[in-house]
């Protein structure tokens, strides 16, 4: 138990990257959108334990803000950090009525104590507001500002541990929330002790993290830093997180041939989700308290809930792209959309069209950086950074894709063994890639997922189709612009300014321009009429009318000379 909070707080001190908070919500009327999954299943999906282990749920429920302004988990606080608090009700899956994506374990599974955590839905559920009405986008893009919130929580724990008055009240409240009174002092002091131990153990981790702000996080670097730095207790394995990405949308993911923005993993949902939990406070046992490799099978045993992951993945297979709600956002001009579809077929389908493989999967093209020209960091950090994984029998300079591959394969096999997963349900080992580009996925429902590009550097679809884009914009609000397709720049209590001049935030590439020399040019300048026709089509696009063609076999991921490219990326780091 104590190690759990210790590692979380340790991570928070490293990961804290600013105080920019997410939007506050207005009281809205919710408009229901049918995305193919019923509401009871969704409620369960929103709160299914994936294996993230933060702190005892009763502690989190009892924790007060250090400034005395109230509970940390109070709706007013959570709303500021972009969590979807509205409509939250107490259910068996959500006993504290916390926002979408928060979880509480069954005590029997976690040493008799219910532990708080989070799950897929926290990072993959969006909401769009328009004129007093709100639409929840299941599988969409959230506006959470996760790590600053984590920092608030950790600061609150530190304050509570050191102030006798706060401590006394916290103990009473946590016990009232259900924490066993006889364990309270012992468990809490254990956490504080492990916290100071961890603080001493991390000075090697001098890393820079580019703040993501609302709606972005450097998830992939988070996985590598967590697994190779924190979990292996090798602080010098932490690398700069300079590629915060916009949370991607999840409909149709199960049938895409390549996933993650840079397409580093194929169709291997167990491995993909295991990797994700590794980066989101899943508990591991790679090494003992002295940093020595633990014996087998303990070494690869984790808190990851493989059956729950498979159930959530199955739920996501039923999830459909949201259809533009005309009654909320206004009618679609069908004639204009038809014109837009023709333009889309001529200019966009080559990369974004559906290419159906013989087994029904959709092949997605990974477009090289040299062609699409968008910010390179997500792809180059993944390919270029190396980690000393000699403790695992790997190289002193192992790239992330090799290291994550080894860890995930070992953990997955262990999970299959420990959970008696029959051979017929087991997925094979994965071989990860380090592609030199970003994938162009089908765009059905993309209207609901601003901001755009992998790093969220472009506020509207209109800007994305233009030959000039604002270098700075305000973001954080969920107020929607149905004309240009994106969030507005409306002021909100906690908005932030996006500065696209910072590496990692570059808004370059995917250019539609007549300047043939401009790097990242992918097509000619589009007229205003053409842009708005394309926008109308993106609003209207459905599975039935989206440009689609058969493809006999998958196109290999970009960069045939992958090893060579990765080495070059490493040399540049
Ligand atoms: C802490 C937030 C967080 C949680 C929790 C989370 N994800 Fe993600 N997920 C992300 C981010 C950020 C990315 C983009 C990473 C990248 O490619 O650089 C991502 C990427 C993905 C992708 C790839 C999408 C694409 O278009 O390539 C899938 C699929 C996915 N997540 C599914 C899940 C599932 C299923 C769960 C729960 C088991 C989950 N995620 C939990 C933040 C999260
Ligand atoms: C040469 C291939 C290519 C062509 C042609 C192309 N795109 Fe893209 N598109 C991409 C790639 C690659 C990305 C992802 C880039 C990134 O995230 O950095 C992308 C991203 C996008 C996104 C953002 C998706 C998101 O999740 O944020 C939109 C919207 C988009 N394209 C629209 C279009 C439209 C409309 C057209 C035609 C007018 C078009 N694209 C033509 C390759 C292409």
């Amino acid at each position: 138990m104590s190690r759990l909070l210790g590692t979380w707080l340790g991570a928070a001190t490293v990961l804290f990257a600013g105080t920019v908070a997410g939007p506050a919500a207005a009281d809205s009327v919710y408009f229901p959108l049918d995305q193919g999954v019923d509401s009871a299943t969704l409620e369960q999906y929103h709160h299914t334990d994936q294996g993230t282990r933060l702190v005892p749920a009763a502690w989190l429920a009892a924790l007060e803000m250090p400034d005395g302004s109230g509970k940390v988990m109070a709706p007013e606080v959570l709303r500021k950090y972009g969590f979807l608090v509205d409509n939250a009700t107490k259910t068996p899956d959500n006993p504290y009525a916390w926002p979408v994506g928060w979880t509480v374990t069954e005590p029997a599974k976690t040493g008799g104590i219910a532990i708080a955590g989070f799950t897929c839905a926290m990072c993959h559920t969006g909401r769009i507001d328009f004129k007093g009405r709100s639409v929840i986008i299941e599988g969409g893009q959230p506006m959470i500002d996760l790590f600053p919130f984590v920092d608030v929580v950790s600061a609150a724990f530190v304050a509570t541990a050191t102030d006798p008055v706060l401590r006394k009240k916290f103990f009473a409240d946590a016990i009232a929330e259900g924490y066993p009174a006889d364990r309270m002092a012992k468990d809490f002091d254990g956490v504080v002790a492990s916290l100071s131990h961890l603080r001493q153990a991390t000075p090697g981790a001098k890393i820079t993290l580019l703040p993501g702000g609302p709606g972005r996080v450097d998830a992939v670097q988070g996985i590598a830093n967590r697994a190779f730095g924190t979990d292996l207790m090798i602080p010098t394995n932490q690398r700069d997180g300079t590629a915060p990405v916009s949370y991607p949308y999840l409909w149709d993911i199960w049938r895409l041939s390549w996933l993650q923005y840079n397409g580093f993993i194929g169709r291997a949902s167990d491995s993909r989700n295991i990797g994700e939990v590794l980066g989101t406070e899943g508990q591991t046992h790679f090494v003992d308290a002295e940093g020595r490799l633990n014996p087998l099978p303990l070494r690869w045993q984790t808190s990851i809930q493989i059956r729950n992951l498979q159930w959530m993945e199955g739920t996501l297979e039923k999830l459909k792209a949201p259809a533009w709600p005309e009654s909320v956002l206004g009618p679609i001009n069908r004639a204009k959309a038809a014109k837009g579809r023709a333009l889309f077929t001529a200019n966009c389908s080559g990369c974004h069209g559906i290419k159906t493989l013989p087994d029904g999967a959709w092949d997605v093209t990974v477009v090289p950086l040299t062609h699409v020209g968008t910010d390179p960091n997500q792809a180059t950090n993944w390919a270029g950074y190396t980690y000393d994984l000699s403790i695992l029998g790997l190289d002193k300079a192992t790239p992330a894709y090799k290291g994550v591959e080894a860890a995930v394969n070992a953990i997955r096999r262990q999970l299959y063994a420990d959970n008696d997963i029959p051979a017929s349900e087991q997925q094979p080992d994965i071989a990860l890639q380090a592609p030199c580009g970003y994938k162009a996925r089908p765009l059905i429902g993309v209207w609901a997922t601003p901001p755009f590009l992998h790093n969220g550097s472009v506020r509207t679809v209109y800007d994305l189709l233009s030959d000039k884009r604002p270098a700075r914009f305000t973001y954080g609000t969920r107020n929607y612009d149905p004309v240009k397709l994106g969030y507005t720049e409306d002021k909100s209590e906690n908005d932030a300014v996006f500065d696209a001049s910072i590496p990692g935030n570059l808004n370059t590439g995917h250019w539609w321009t007549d300047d043939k020399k401009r790097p990242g040019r992918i097509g000619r300048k589009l007229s205003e009429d053409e842009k708005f026709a394309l926008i109308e089509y993106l609003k209207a696009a459905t599975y039935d009318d989206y440009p689609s063609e058969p493809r006999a076999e998958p196109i290999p991921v970009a960069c045939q000379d992958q090893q060579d490219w990765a080495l070059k990326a490493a040399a540049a780091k």
Side-chain angles (χ1 to χ4, degrees), residues 347-348 351-352 374 438-439 443 452-454 464 510 512:
N347 295 286
C348 320
C351 292
H352 290 291
T374 54
Y438 297 118
K439 74 181 196 304
L443 298 174
F452 300 100
L453 293 183
H454 73 279
L464 188 67
H510 202 282
W512 300 91

Side-chain angles (χ1 to χ4, degrees), residues 246-249 261 343-352 365-369 371-375 437-443 446-447 449-458 460-461 464-465 508 510 512 521-523 526 534-535 538:
S246 176
Y247 294 95
Y249 52 101
Y261 281 116
L343 282 163
F344 191 86
T345 310
N347 295 286
C348 320
S349 298
C351 292
H352 290 291
T365 310
V366 176
V367 184
L369 291 172
H371 186 183
V372 73
T374 54
D375 189 290
Y438 297 118
K439 74 181 196 304
R441 59 170 293 180
L443 298 174
V446 76
W447 61 266
T449 70
F452 300 100
L453 293 183
H454 73 279
N455 63 351
S457 58
V458 183
T460 65
V461 169
L464 188 67
L465 300 181
T508 53
H510 202 282
W512 300 91
R521 174 187 190 266
I522 57 168
L526 301 165
L534 282 161
I535 282 174
L538 289 178

